[in-house]
Amino acid sequence: MMALLSIRGLGVRYISDGREVEALAGVDLDADAGERLAVIGESGSGKSTLARAIAGLLPPEAKLVGNVAWPGVGRTAQNGRDIGFVFQDPASSLDPVMTVGEQVAEVAYANLEMGWPAARRLAVELLDRVRLPEPAALAKAYPHQLSGGQKQRVAIAAAIAAGPRLLIADEATSALDTIVQAEIVALIRRLVTEDGMALMFVSHDIALAANLADRIAVFRHGRMVETGPTAGLIAAPKSDYTSALLAAHLGLEA
Ligand code: ADP
Ligand code: MG
């Protein structure tokens, strides 16, 4: 099968105020079309840097080496159009002065060949698809009128509005209460299944990731420690670090 995404020798350094941080080094990673990949590791291990490098969302102080190729797209994938990105905090990823319907419509309007009225209709359909109640009325609401879980549903609707090939969720459920977190995980699972999207689920929580992913990639200090199919990696981790992460999250003795 042809890979959707192929990463070779990826490294990222942040250079600011004369200080240099090596956030990622020597990463080789492929993702197939429709594959569900989890990227896990502790805070500061380089997960968000990887996700942002893939989506072309690194800040100007980041210096990238290596190659991110998109054999399954045939050109460089664009965030919004080919990649949907869901951030941890919907309160900061959504625009407080635009209605939620306009924000979802804007992604469709910018990336698909459609006029504004059609984009507005599509936005209402998408708000319905992410199971928001009374989507036509809710489209006219502003983010502050919604709960945290509802805001994250809006952010997900916007991320999938242009029909991307890859959905990246970067700690997208980490700030939510446990029950809402489970609902959002279920929503992501349903949407990637319905649309055949590949998923990159970025999380510090290996148990949550295992629940959703076909394959897990474990990161530590900017390097990929190991990757493998979920069941095998959990049952027989190759690295002591993965064993320790599992023990910590499952409450076991390492
Ligand atoms: P994670 O998402 O796994 O918590 P990050 O990719 O955010 O990790 O960060 C990896 C490393 O890069 C950390 O040491 C972090 O402090 C550093 N870093 C991230 N963003 C920047 C930035 N804009 N400038 C300088 N250092 C950064
Ligand atoms: Mg992060």
Side-chain angles (χ1 to χ4, degrees):
M1 187 195 243
M2 185 165 60
L4 172 64
L5 163 69
S6 180
I7 299 168
R8 290 294 175 271
L10 180 66
V12 176
R13 288 167 183 277
Y14 294 101
I15 302 169
S16 55
D17 303 331
R19 240 174 52 86
E20 200 171 315
V21 179
E22 186 175 63
L24 219 51
V27 177
D28 297 329
L29 186 62
D30 288 350
D32 287 333
E35 183 173 21
R36 296 168 198 187
L37 175 70
V39 171
I40 65 154
E42 289 172 288
S43 176
S45 58
K47 306 181 300 297
S48 292
T49 300
L50 174 67
R52 287 169 180 273
I54 290 169
L57 294 175
L58 286 172
E61 66 270 24
K63 305 297 166 217
L64 185 149
V65 296
N67 191 33
V68 178
W70 295 87
V73 177
R75 53 179 169 74
T76 301
Q78 285 170 25
N79 185 47
R81 177 175 169 189
D82 310 292
I83 305 164
F85 204 107
V86 186
F87 296 89
Q88 173 165 344
D89 181 11
S92 56
S93 66
L94 296 176
D95 185 334
V97 299
M98 270 176 89
T99 68
V100 300
E102 284 168 345
Q103 298 188 52
V104 176
E106 196 178 57
V107 179
Y109 181 76
N111 293 290
L112 303 172
E113 304 273 317
M114 62 170 58
W116 186 243
R120 291 297 296 262
R121 283 194 295 278
L122 178 61
V124 173
E125 283 171 32
L126 286 160
L127 294 175
D128 191 36
R129 267 196 83 194
V130 299
R131 303 266 204 273
L132 283 162
E134 300 185 52
L138 192 129
K140 300 191 178 81
Y142 289 88
H144 77 266
Q145 297 173 284
L146 276 57
S147 71
Q150 288 178 324
K151 281 199 273 272
Q152 199 56 299
R153 285 177 193 268
V154 171
I156 291 168
I160 66 166
R165 303 285 303 277
L166 172 66
L167 183 66
I168 300 179
D170 185 0
E171 302 276 11
T173 65
S174 303
L176 303 171
D177 293 338
T178 312
I179 291 173
V180 180
Q181 179 176 72
E183 289 169 356
I184 298 294
V185 166
L187 172 66
I188 290 172
R189 181 189 286 115
R190 175 169 63 78
L191 293 172
V192 297
T193 303
E194 286 175 357
D195 289 359
M197 279 181 285
L199 173 66
M200 180 172 285
F201 188 81
V202 177
S203 179
H204 64 281
D205 185 338
I206 192 168
L208 189 65
N211 191 327
L212 198 55
D214 306 319
R215 187 156 64 91
I216 294 179
V218 182
F219 280 76
R220 184 187 197 193
H221 300 329
R223 290 169 191 275
M224 193 167 73
V225 173
E226 70 174 296
T227 181
T230 301
L233 186 137
I234 299 279
K238 291 192 195 77
S239 133
D240 290 344
Y241 180 69
T242 307
S243 303
L245 265 188
L246 275 168
H249 278 283
L250 304 177
L252 306 171
E253 293 282 315

